[in-house]
Amino acid sequence: MPTTPNPLRRNEASRRAILDAALRLCAENGYGRLTIEAIAAGAGVSKKTIYRWWPSKGAVVLDAVDDLASTVADHPYTGDLAADLRTQMAAVIALLTPASTSAVVGLIAEALHDDALGDDLRERLVRPRIDAFNRRMHQAQRDGQLAADADLDVAVDLVYGPLYHRLVFHLGMPNAEQLHTLVAHALRAFVPAPQDNDANAPPTS
Amino acid sequence: MPTTPNPLRRNEASRRAILDAALRLCAENGYGRLTIEAIAAGAGVSKKTIYRWWPSKGAVVLDAVDDLASTVADHPYTGDLAADLRTQMAAVIALLTPASTSAVVGLIAEALHDDALGDDLRERLVRPRIDAFNRRMHQAQRDGQLAADADLDVAVDLVYGPLYHRLVFHLGMPNAEQLHTLVAHALRAFVPAPQDNDANAPPTS
Amino acid sequence: MPTTPNPLRRNEASRRAILDAALRLCAENGYGRLTIEAIAAGAGVSKKTIYRWWPSKGAVVLDAVDDLASTVADHPYTGDLAADLRTQMAAVIALLTPASTSAVVGLIAEALHDDALGDDLRERLVRPRIDAFNRRMHQAQRDGQLAADADLDVAVDLVYGPLYHRLVFHLGMPNAEQLHTLVAHALRAFVPAPQDNDANAPPTS
Amino acid sequence: MPTTPNPLRRNEASRRAILDAALRLCAENGYGRLTIEAIAAGAGVSKKTIYRWWPSKGAVVLDAVDDLASTVADHPYTGDLAADLRTQMAAVIALLTPASTSAVVGLIAEALHDDALGDDLRERLVRPRIDAFNRRMHQAQRDGQLAADADLDVAVDLVYGPLYHRLVFHLGMPNAEQLHTLVAHALRAFVPAPQDNDANAPPTS
DNA sequence: AGTTAACCGAGACGGTACGTCAAGTCTTAAA
DNA sequence: TTTAAGACTTGACGTACCGTCTCGGTTAACT
């Protein structure tokens, strides 16, 4: 008696309908009003089918977001580190806005109560993007845009932290100008010294 | 005909019992398992009394945390900015740890779905502390520890952001050493240039 | 410390307002939706004032109905017993119709659960009217319209019973013709024998 | 999309437990103290299950009484009409006594406020018994015990009315002797005239 | 190709908590 | 001292979802 169902017999149509319904209903009514019952009804699927394959509402949404987000929010590489970061961060901000109907924000909220979901969220959604960020930063270091001896371990926190600080305390997502300022200041921790005050300004070209 | 009850007639003993029960039960079972019913039972109070004075579970906990947190997590002033920040941030980290039983984390999670609660959380809990942080930073600026022309508007995001980035993605709160590194890097954006690697040490004067 | 309030200090204006509000609200929304709170609000009186003077909602309504009904539904005396009974019964039917907004029907329903109210209802409202009925019947006996040896003890049950049978089982109150038939048949038990089949018909004059 | 649940899937064990608990609790504490919560708890069933199948407490009790009463209070046929009626009415009286714990009395009280319940009560409980009574009366008519031209339409009101008159006004149910008198007088409306005082005795044939 | 075990939809079920309502008690301030 | 106002405890209301379960039916893997 297998405790986990046989994935070979899984109905792909049901799976897709469930993930689609989850995202759609989340966008329509907000993550807070999203329920397993509504997902089942919206997908034309029985609750049992959802519980067979996912342990919780959060896990469903995580799968749905994972599908969705695998291509968005990649790190571009134009050579201008600050600009590239701003581009990528703008995509992240789009995923978090508006908070009330953002599936990602819903996942974040639920993960704060649910360690298992939090771990999944970190490993499946966040970790790959942190790795990508780090690769981009090391590339910039090799390019000479960052100090050769910069401690990049804290970079991700300094660069992305402000977004989540503002998110959790309803301080408003930064607009383009504020984003510019934030990135500039964050990168200042890693640029070669001595430097002038405008080292991270966008190229004037 | 006032839609809000007359605060003059409010029973202070009930109010205190409710707030105490909310914090106690949150610490015992976690914010996620906290219910209005349990608070009422734990406080020896009727549900009606809770609903009369607060619109939601989050509002109760916000009041409770507000009472509690009004004295903790003040900004010390020893003259060593980085050390003072680390001290204060350690207090903040204590309020957020462990996440599963932290009332503040619970509020943060709920505020992500509930804009009204989020606004209250910001105005009542966070704004005063941001102001205190800013006062401390401007003091440091006047003390010559920060660049005279530093743009301190982004400072709070750079300093505290990493904490919330780590919180929401289950990356673990920084230990003492990591906190040291984080603060040092964050402040680097505001210190006078050029600088050496120990720019954040307390003034030797 | 008197357990009963001093009736001398009773506020007559409040008493009237309460009884009037009770009847008005009962007529408007039905006895089932009548509440002490609504009566208090409708009378501009505090709940405490109601509870001070009456033990229950039913007692309030009983007082109100008692005031109201003391003059209606008297027994006329035209000499035609059957006609007189029909006249009086039509007044009773008016008090019971429509059942959903009739204060008397509400009292009857509540008295079925509440023995104290039931006893009050019987003694204050019903008993005097039974006595009046019996006086009317004995008068008819003296007038020679009923058998001299008729057992009038069961008369009230036979005459009025059909009304309450129909009331409690939603069989519809009798219309004028049905009322005629009912009274005629009921009185047949008390008329002198031998008799013909139309002895109780109304006088043809 | 049916608004009523599919009766085929109904759990018969739950249904029985609910009806049994309703009758038991009504007998123990009285209809007035009977609650849906208590029925659910007493039946080991969730409230939702009750609300799924019945619209109100009264509907539950009506079902329970319907089950119970389908065999009691049938009309016997010994040939002696008055005796048969007394037998059957004694069974009815037993169902109504004591009023405070009688499910039927509770239903009657509730039906006075609730037209839908009242209609159900009439159609499901009362109408079949009225029909049975009428059949018995017509049989007696064919047997020559009632006048061939008697208007039996009012018979049920005359015979049973006294019971409900006495019930609603707390006048006490008739004892055996009073019942004898009541039935005798009621039937006098339908016997052939002239008659003697023992007209309701069984035929001597 | 037929058997059979699993998935599937549907949705009833026992629960827990919700937010509301009214009952009846108690406190305060004004008259 | 009574009253209006209204806060309070209590307890039931009817609803919403939860996560589990059983029911036929279909489907897909293995005889």
Side-chain angles (χ1 to χ4, degrees):
Chain A
M1 178 193 306
T3 175
T4 46
N6 181 351
L8 294 182
R9 312 201 50 169
R10 183 162 190 179
N11 184 331
E12 175 62 17
S14 293
R15 182 180 159 277
R16 274 258 49 91
I18 290 165
L19 300 185
D20 291 348
L23 286 183
R24 177 170 50 80
L25 292 168
C26 189
E28 284 172 8
N29 307 120
Y31 187 94
R33 271 183 282 282
L34 185 64
T35 65
I36 296 269
E37 305 237 336
I39 296 173
V45 140
S46 82
K47 287 198 294 176
K48 181 77 181 208
T49 300
I50 297 180
Y51 283 110
R52 187 169 4 247
W53 300 109
W54 292 276
S56 68
K57 174 179 76 164
V60 176
V61 176
L62 178 55
D63 262 19
V65 168
D66 198 19
D67 264 29
L68 177 75
S70 50
T71 54
V72 310
D74 272 351
H75 282 269
Y77 181 58
T78 67
D80 180 347
L81 176 62
D84 287 355
L85 288 179
R86 291 196 304 269
T87 300
Q88 200 274 339
M89 290 169 79
V92 171
I93 290 171
L95 283 176
L96 303 175
T97 309
S100 59
T101 56
S102 161
V104 175
V105 172
L107 282 175
I108 287 171
E110 189 142 326
L112 288 173
H113 300 310
D114 179 342
D115 281 349
L117 178 63
D119 292 345
D120 268 15
L121 173 64
R122 181 187 65 236
E123 292 308 316
R124 295 184 43 198
L125 269 191
V126 179
R127 184 77 73 197
R129 287 161 181 82
I130 289 180
D131 291 344
F133 170 83
N134 284 334
R135 284 195 297 274
R136 182 66 185 82
M137 290 294 275
H138 282 101
Q139 181 60 47
Q141 200 174 32
R142 284 193 295 276
D143 292 346
Q145 293 166 349
L146 299 181
D149 61 349
D151 178 359
L152 295 183
D153 286 351
V154 295
V156 71
D157 287 333
L158 282 179
V159 171
Y160 288 94
L163 259 44
Y164 296 100
H165 183 236
R166 302 187 75 82
L167 174 70
V168 299
F169 289 139
H170 283 234
L171 294 164
M173 284 290 119
N175 60 22
E177 184 186 359
Q178 293 168 325
L179 188 57
H180 191 109
T181 307
L182 275 174
V183 171
H185 281 76
L187 289 183
R188 216 170 277 177
F190 308 102
V191 294
Q195 64 187 60
D196 67 4
N197 276 341
D198 207 19
N200 294 295
T204 54
S205 64
Chain B
M1 180 190 307
T3 176
T4 47
N6 181 349
L8 295 181
R9 306 222 160 201
R10 185 162 190 179
N11 184 332
E12 174 61 18
S14 292
R15 183 181 158 276
R16 274 256 50 90
I18 290 165
L19 299 184
D20 291 349
L23 285 183
R24 177 169 49 80
L25 291 168
C26 189
E28 284 172 7
N29 308 118
Y31 186 94
R33 271 184 282 281
L34 185 64
T35 66
I36 297 269
E37 304 239 338
I39 296 173
V45 139
S46 78
K47 284 197 294 177
K48 184 65 189 261
T49 298
I50 297 180
Y51 284 112
R52 182 165 13 243
W53 300 108
W54 291 276
S56 67
K57 175 178 75 163
V60 176
V61 176
L62 177 55
D63 261 18
V65 168
D66 196 20
D67 265 30
L68 176 75
S70 49
T71 54
V72 309
D74 274 350
H75 282 268
Y77 180 56
T78 67
D80 181 346
L81 176 62
D84 286 356
L85 288 180
R86 291 195 304 269
T87 301
Q88 201 274 339
M89 290 170 79
V92 171
I93 291 172
L95 284 175
L96 304 174
T97 310
S100 59
T101 56
S102 160
V104 175
V105 173
L107 283 176
I108 287 171
E110 189 142 327
L112 287 173
H113 300 312
D114 179 344
D115 281 349
L117 178 62
D119 292 345
D120 269 13
L121 174 65
R122 182 188 65 236
E123 292 307 317
R124 295 184 41 200
L125 269 191
V126 178
R127 186 76 73 197
R129 285 159 183 81
I130 289 181
D131 292 343
F133 170 83
N134 284 334
R135 283 195 299 274
R136 182 68 186 80
M137 290 294 275
H138 281 101
Q139 182 60 47
Q141 199 173 32
R142 281 192 297 275
D143 292 346
Q145 292 166 352
L146 299 180
D149 60 350
D151 178 0
L152 295 183
D153 286 351
V154 296
V156 70
D157 287 332
L158 282 180
V159 171
Y160 289 94
L163 258 44
Y164 296 100
H165 183 235
R166 302 188 75 81
L167 174 70
V168 300
F169 288 139
H170 283 234
L171 294 164
M173 283 291 118
N175 60 22
E177 184 186 359
Q178 293 168 323
L179 188 58
H180 191 107
T181 307
L182 275 175
V183 172
H185 280 77
L187 289 183
R188 215 171 278 176
F190 308 102
V191 294
Q195 63 191 56
D196 66 3
N197 275 340
D198 205 18
N200 294 298
T204 55
S205 63
Chain C
M1 178 188 307
T3 175
T4 47
N6 180 349
L8 295 181
R9 315 212 43 169
R10 183 162 189 180
N11 183 331
E12 175 61 18
S14 292
R15 182 179 160 279
R16 275 256 50 88
I18 289 165
L19 299 185
D20 291 349
L23 285 183
R24 177 170 49 81
L25 292 168
C26 189
E28 284 173 6
N29 308 119
Y31 187 93
R33 269 184 283 282
L34 185 64
T35 65
I36 296 270
E37 307 238 343
I39 296 173
V45 139
S46 83
K47 286 199 293 176
K48 182 74 183 206
T49 301
I50 297 181
Y51 283 113
R52 196 182 339 262
W53 301 107
W54 291 276
S56 68
K57 175 178 73 164
V60 176
V61 176
L62 178 55
D63 262 19
V65 169
D66 197 19
D67 265 29
L68 177 75
S70 47
T71 53
V72 309
D74 273 352
H75 281 269
Y77 180 57
T78 67
D80 180 346
L81 175 62
D84 287 353
L85 286 180
R86 291 196 304 269
T87 301
Q88 199 273 340
M89 290 170 78
V92 170
I93 289 173
L95 284 176
L96 303 175
T97 310
S100 59
T101 56
S102 161
V104 175
V105 173
L107 282 175
I108 287 171
E110 189 143 326
L112 287 173
H113 299 312
D114 179 343
D115 281 350
L117 178 63
D119 292 346
D120 268 15
L121 174 64
R122 181 188 64 237
E123 291 308 318
R124 294 183 44 199
L125 270 191
V126 179
R127 185 76 73 196
R129 286 160 184 80
I130 289 181
D131 292 343
F133 169 83
N134 284 334
R135 282 194 299 273
R136 182 67 185 81
M137 290 293 275
H138 281 102
Q139 181 60 48
Q141 200 173 32
R142 283 192 296 276
D143 292 347
Q145 293 167 346
L146 298 181
D149 60 349
D151 178 0
L152 295 183
D153 287 349
V154 296
V156 70
D157 288 331
L158 281 180
V159 171
Y160 288 94
L163 259 43
Y164 296 100
H165 184 236
R166 301 187 76 81
L167 174 70
V168 300
F169 288 140
H170 284 233
L171 293 165
M173 284 291 118
N175 60 22
E177 184 186 359
Q178 294 167 324
L179 187 58
H180 190 109
T181 308
L182 275 175
V183 172
H185 281 77
L187 289 183
R188 215 170 277 177
F190 308 102
V191 295
Q195 64 188 61
D196 68 4
N197 275 341
D198 206 19
N200 295 293
T204 55
S205 64
Chain D
M1 179 189 308
T3 175
T4 47
N6 182 347
L8 295 181
R9 304 209 164 227
R10 186 160 189 181
N11 183 333
E12 175 61 17
S14 293
R15 182 181 159 278
R16 274 256 50 90
I18 290 165
L19 299 184
D20 291 349
L23 285 183
R24 179 170 48 79
L25 291 167
C26 191
E28 284 172 8
N29 307 119
Y31 187 93
R33 269 184 283 282
L34 185 64
T35 66
I36 297 268
E37 304 238 340
I39 297 173
V45 140
S46 78
K47 283 199 292 177
K48 184 62 192 259
T49 299
I50 297 181
Y51 284 112
R52 180 157 24 235
W53 299 108
W54 292 277
S56 67
K57 176 179 73 163
V60 176
V61 175
L62 176 56
D63 261 19
V65 168
D66 197 20
D67 265 30
L68 177 74
S70 48
T71 54
V72 309
D74 273 351
H75 282 269
Y77 181 57
T78 66
D80 180 345
L81 175 62
D84 286 355
L85 287 180
R86 291 196 304 269
T87 301
Q88 200 273 340
M89 290 169 78
V92 171
I93 290 172
L95 283 176
L96 303 174
T97 310
S100 59
T101 57
S102 160
V104 175
V105 173
L107 282 176
I108 287 171
E110 189 142 327
L112 288 174
H113 301 311
D114 180 344
D115 281 350
L117 178 62
D119 292 346
D120 269 15
L121 174 64
R122 181 187 65 237
E123 291 307 318
R124 296 185 41 201
L125 270 191
V126 179
R127 185 78 72 198
R129 286 159 182 82
I130 289 180
D131 292 343
F133 169 83
N134 284 334
R135 282 194 299 274
R136 183 66 185 82
M137 291 293 276
H138 280 101
Q139 182 60 47
Q141 200 172 33
R142 283 191 296 276
D143 292 346
Q145 294 166 351
L146 299 181
D149 60 350
D151 178 0
L152 295 183
D153 287 349
V154 295
V156 70
D157 287 330
L158 281 180
V159 170
Y160 288 94
L163 260 42
Y164 296 101
H165 183 236
R166 303 188 73 81
L167 174 70
V168 301
F169 289 138
H170 284 233
L171 295 164
M173 284 291 118
N175 59 23
E177 184 186 358
Q178 294 168 323
L179 188 58
H180 191 107
T181 308
L182 276 173
V183 172
H185 281 76
L187 289 183
R188 213 170 281 175
F190 309 101
V191 294
Q195 63 191 57
D196 65 4
N197 274 341
D198 205 19
N200 295 297
T204 55
S205 64

